[in-house]
Amino acid sequence: MDNWILVLAGLALAVALTSRLRQVDEPARRFMREPWGGRLAGPAERLVVEGAGVFTIKVIALEFDEIGPVMYVNGEFVNGPQRLDVDFTAADVTVGGEIYEFVPFDPTGPEGEPAGERMGDLHTLASPLWIEPEQRGKFRAPLAETEREGRLVEIMDRLDDAARRMVDRLDAELGEYALDDESFSRYEEMFVNDHVVRQIAAEIEREFIWKPGRVTAAVRFYNSYEEPLQDAVARFEVTPEDSLTLKKNIRGVLLNALRAELGLDMRAYNAVVFER
């Protein structure tokens, strides 16, 4: 258990607000996801998993950000005597009677680069890999719900446009301006209270699925022939507090659009973690 607490803590990357001056000709920074980059909200909740095999699920982390609902399935693996071909992991997630399909995606690291297949003995199941006979280690399977992808891309394009208009307004009215905490807080409130941005926030909220209640995740590991290697069913309870914690990321998505346009570091998003 202690090892997993250390893993979680190491992946909780805090991003601090930088006080600086912006020049008009400075390039804006692109959005970049930092997996489990947010605050790990509250104590871990009980996670119940059915299904045994090579992969043992120990932790599930939920996020919601500019790409929509995200789930990280984490655990340990112990392979048998045969070399094992693992191509991808997927899950059918039931929330409030609705079933959502989650598929693999490749998260990026702090510098916007792909997270890679291995970090020590931690394997990321976002791309195919071979597990050698008797090999042991930990795994992480990053999964995203794809039905909302097209809608969110279009929403984020409009949000970026709104952020550019805001920065153009600041440039025209103020020229060079301070971005200390107090000053930037005023610009943040101006931005999130803009009528266009409020409409965008309402559209993003409609894509939010992490509502309070029981969640069942039917996780399946596949080989390169798309044959299932193992099934595991994970169950956990999203509390009203968990749901509110994740919903706060909607404001974070809005403000990160403004921060990106100003060339500032991104704010980290909240995550809710369920641990066995």
Side-chain angles (χ1 to χ4, degrees), residues 239-260:
T239 67
E241 293 78 13
D242 294 333
S243 182
L244 180 60
T245 293
L246 292 170
K247 190 171 286 188
K248 288 178 181 178
N249 288 345
I250 296 173
R251 179 182 172 92
V253 170
L254 303 178
L255 295 180
N256 272 343
L258 181 61
R259 296 180 70 85

Side-chain angles (χ1 to χ4, degrees), residues 41-212:
E45 301 291 338
R46 179 66 177 165
L47 173 67
V48 177
V49 178
E50 300 172 1
V54 173
F55 300 97
T56 302
I57 296 174
K58 296 288 188 178
V59 178
I60 287 182
L62 306 182
E63 288 188 358
F64 184 84
D65 53 36
E66 66 268 8
I67 69 171
V70 174
M71 180 174 72
Y72 287 90
V73 179
N74 306 267
E76 299 170 345
F77 66 85
V78 179
N79 196 18
Q82 303 296 323
R83 195 182 192 209
L84 190 65
D85 161 28
V86 184
D87 191 64
F88 68 98
T89 304
D92 288 332
V93 180
T94 304
V95 185
E98 297 288 333
I99 300 178
Y100 305 94
E101 183 181 0
F102 280 68
V103 299
F105 77 99
D106 194 2
T108 57
E111 301 302 322
E113 298 296 330
E117 181 181 301
R118 292 190 60 178
M119 183 175 67
D121 69 342
L122 177 65
H123 295 249
T124 298
L125 303 183
S127 56
L129 64 91
W130 287 96
I131 297 179
E132 300 300 328
E134 313 299 336
Q135 185 178 351
R136 297 170 176 260
K138 295 181 174 66
F139 73 89
R140 178 185 65 160
L143 303 171
E145 201 275 338
T146 57
E147 179 185 346
R148 288 152 175 76
E149 182 178 4
R151 293 195 296 270
L152 281 165
V153 167
E154 188 271 333
I155 291 170
M156 293 306 301
D157 285 343
R158 288 191 284 115
L159 181 60
D160 290 342
D161 288 341
R164 279 190 288 272
R165 288 195 299 272
M166 174 71 174
V167 173
D168 288 344
R169 174 183 169 187
L170 294 175
D171 290 341
E173 294 179 358
L174 303 176
E176 184 179 285
Y177 45 92
L179 291 177
D180 55 82
D181 286 356
E182 183 177 352
S183 299
F184 189 68
S185 293
R186 294 198 302 271
Y187 307 144
E188 286 181 327
E189 292 308 313
M190 290 170 56
F191 184 65
V192 297
N193 287 311
D194 178 85
H195 73 281
V196 172
V197 176
R198 289 202 306 269
Q199 291 174 352
I200 291 172
E203 293 180 43
I204 295 174
E205 186 169 351
R206 285 196 287 272
E207 308 300 336
F208 183 81
I209 71 169
W210 301 126
K211 299 174 183 178

Side-chain angles (χ1 to χ4, degrees), residues 15 25 112:
V15 180
D25 59 352

